[in-house]
Each structure stands twice: as structure tokens, then as C-alpha cells.
Amino acid sequence: SDSKPKPKSNSSSSGSRNNGEGEGERLRIQAELAEKACRYKEMCVVMRRLSELKSGPLNTNERNLLGVAYKNVLSATRVSWRILTAHEIGLRNTLDNMDAKAKDYKQIENELKQCRDYRAMIEKEISQKCEEILQCLSKHILPKTDSNISKLDPNVLSLAHSSYTDVKSLEDAMNSYLSGSEASGYILQTLNAASIVFYYKMRGDIHRYLVETASDYREDSQDANMALGFYAVATRVAKAHLSPGDPIRLGLALNKSVFYHAMMSAPGRACEIAKNAFDEAVMEMPKRPSSQYSDSTLIMSVLRDNLTTWTRAGTDAEHPSANDPLRNERRRLRAHEDVGGDAKT
């Protein structure tokens, strides 16, 4: 007798899905092994592949692995940049105080030129790595995390590319837009608040690094404005969804305050951000889950240390050398940095 036709199997589609899940698991394990081996450049490559492969958002562990990878690569390169910049300043000062006919003048002059060229090469490396993660965040990670929040970007970028006379004017414009009904709706409705804050903070940090290491450092550069805008979005989401003692919210306040102090020459605003975050967290700490307590207290201690240092130094307006470019460059070199807990928070 004739056999009945067999129903079509979905094995090909399920097999494809299983293969994708298997590859994702392989990449995750590879990233964790790269972290153990401190091979962070390879870890960046693996996490970028995983971000492109996944059809949905990264889970908390994967998100942290992404942060660890890029944080460590960029931190090491920025340290190299600072060392060479400090050495360059020293050589420049030496030449300024030497007679051009002195015996060692030409030798130091040649070393200064080589130092500048080497620093420029490192700046290019930092710029390329920053652009790489920014593209990954905007094209692959954020749309899969919350497509509505991504709709804020065009207006945030438009404001960042506009001309504002001072930091406060731009900050007010950003906050005015984010307070609007459409933007507020997207912010209040997000279901992935922790990840959104993490990624927008990360975008702010990356643009801060670009400002920090730019040869033509300017406080009103587009990178500075974009950092301010992304920090503003992260702050709005954090205040709407995360408690004051949450380590992700605290990490955002820390990095944002460093940005205002070290990059934007706004120490008063930096102290305000840090103090508000610290005071609000202190009130909420008794309710903090034990699993997050150590991360939160670590960040709070850095906020307190920064506040102590910044308050003791006073505002730039109190110092006659406030507009000295060399002083500003040195200040940027020794500014308190964000803690290594970025990836965990």
C-alpha cells in the first residue's frame, strides 16, 4: 500500500538555531578564557562577534565580558598615552629652559619629535578602538536591547553637533529634550534599564577617552558634547529605574563627575554630581542586597576621595593659572580615574 507522505520536518531551521546557540556558547567560553589569560584584544574580537551573532540582547554575564574586554584594552593604551604625554611635557619644558646652542639641545629636540610621533600613533590606536566599540554598540547591541531608546539618538546627536556657548547651556538643552513626552515615554517604558544605563555610560566613557587623548583638545568638541549627551540619557534612565545605591548608577555618577572635572573644566558641577550620588547612596545602603554591597561601597569610596581632593584644591576660578594650557594638560593627566569596576557595574 502507498505510504502517506511524511510532514515536512523543521529540523533544518531548528538545527540552524541550535548551531547559532552552540556558536554563541563557544564564543562566550572563548571570551572567558581570554579574560583569564589577560588577552583582552582577542576578547574584544570574540565579544564583537558574539554581539553580531545574537538575535537578542546580551545577558548580564555577556554584557560584563564586553565591558571587561574594551575597558582593559583602552585603559592600557590610555596609560601609555599619559606616560608619553607627561614625558613630552617634560622635554618641552627642558628645551624652553635651554640655550639653543647647548650641547644636548639637538638631541633633546630630536627625542621630543620622536615622542610626539609615538604619541600620535597611540592616539590613532585609541581612536580606532573607540570607533570599533561605538559602532558595535549603535549597530548591534543597543537596537537588540531596546529599539525605542535607540530612537533618542538622532536628537541627542543633533544637539551634540549644535553650537552652545557653555556646558550648562548644552546640559540644559539635553535635559529639556529628555524631559519631553516622547523621550520620557521611551525612558519610562524600557524593560532593560540596567543594560541601557551600562551601554549609554559606556558610550559616554568612550567619547570622554576621545576628548582626553585628542591632539586638538577642546572642551566644546563634538566628542565632549556627545559624551555629555550619552551621560545625560544614562542618568535619566538610572534615576527612573535604578536605586541610588545601585552600583551601575553609582558608576555612572563617578565617571560623569570625572568627565565634568577633568574634561569640561567644571569642578563645581563635578562636585555637585559626586556629592549628590554619594549622599543619596548613603541613605539607601542599609537596604542594598549583600551581593551588590561591596561593588557599591567601592565606588562610593572613590566618589568620596575625589570629592575630598577636588574640594581641597578649590575651583579653577580661584587660581591665576586657570587658563594655562600646560597646567590644564597636567591636570588632565593626574585626574582621578574611574574605578576598574566598569565591567561589573
Side-chain angles (χ1 to χ4, degrees), residues 118-130 213:
Y118 199 8
R119 175 180 55 78
M121 183 191 76
I122 292 175
E123 284 176 6
K124 183 177 180 181
E125 184 179 330
I126 291 172
S127 179
Q128 289 173 340
K129 187 58 67 175
C130 286
T213 57

Side-chain angles (χ1 to χ4, degrees), residues 92-311:
R92 190 189 310 153
N93 286 341
T94 300
L95 284 180
D96 288 344
N97 294 306
M98 281 183 74
D99 188 324
K101 296 180 181 179
K103 179 181 177 181
D104 297 333
Y105 189 90
K106 286 293 182 183
Q107 180 181 343
I108 296 173
E109 188 177 48
N110 181 57
E111 184 179 353
L112 175 59
K113 181 183 181 304
Q114 286 185 256
C115 185
R116 283 173 176 162
D117 291 342
Y118 199 8
R119 175 180 55 78
M121 183 191 76
I122 292 175
E123 284 176 6
K124 183 177 180 181
E125 184 179 330
I126 291 172
S127 179
Q128 289 173 340
K129 187 58 67 175
C130 286
E131 183 60 29
E132 177 182 291
I133 183 57
L134 287 172
Q135 288 292 321
C136 185
L137 285 166
S138 62
K139 289 185 176 181
H140 302 290
I141 295 176
L142 279 165
K144 297 173 186 176
T145 304
D146 189 326
S147 58
N148 282 332
I149 288 288
S150 297
K151 293 175 183 176
L152 300 177
D153 285 1
N155 285 309
V156 170
L157 296 176
S158 176
L159 287 169
H161 286 77
S162 302
S163 297
Y164 285 90
T165 55
D166 55 67
V167 175
K168 188 176 186 309
S169 296
L170 176 58
E171 188 175 33
D172 288 345
M174 287 287 182
N175 287 331
S176 176
Y177 165 65
L178 295 173
S179 298
S181 58
E182 182 182 52
S184 294
Y186 293 148
I187 289 168
L188 292 173
Q189 291 169 17
T190 184
L191 299 177
N192 296 296
S195 290
I196 291 299
V197 175
F198 184 97
Y199 295 135
Y200 271 85
K201 169 186 166 293
M202 193 174 186
R203 293 171 96 181
D205 291 342
I206 296 299
H207 282 287
R208 173 162 63 90
Y209 302 158
L210 289 170
V211 176
E212 174 190 59
T213 57
S215 297
D216 56 342
Y217 168 69
R218 287 180 20 245
E219 292 166 3
D220 61 346
S221 68
Q222 287 186 3
D223 280 311
N225 292 348
M226 290 168 78
L228 189 152
F230 290 137
Y231 282 140
V233 174
T235 300
R236 284 277 171 170
V237 177
K239 289 186 175 181
H241 296 277
L242 305 181
S243 63
D246 187 291
I248 297 178
R249 178 169 166 174
L250 281 169
L252 167 63
L254 171 62
N255 290 14
K256 184 178 176 181
S257 65
V258 168
F259 166 72
Y260 273 90
H261 190 275
M263 300 293 106
M264 304 301 279
S265 297
R269 181 71 177 116
C271 288
E272 180 186 6
I273 293 168
K275 186 177 187 307
N276 288 345
F278 182 87
D279 290 347
E280 290 172 0
V282 166
M283 298 295 293
E284 198 256 353
M285 282 310 290
K287 306 173 187 176
R288 187 109 302 267
S290 57
S291 60
Q292 296 181 346
Y293 193 86
S294 60
D295 287 338
S296 297
T297 52
L298 171 62
I299 301 170
M300 289 173 68
S301 70
V302 181
L303 281 168
R304 183 188 57 219
D305 291 346
N306 282 0
L307 269 171
T308 301
T309 302
W310 296 341
T311 304

Side-chain angles (χ1 to χ4, degrees), residues 309-325:
T309 302
W310 296 341
T311 304
R312 185 184 300 129
T315 61
D316 283 351
E318 297 169 353
H319 299 276
S321 59
N323 295 317
D324 179 1

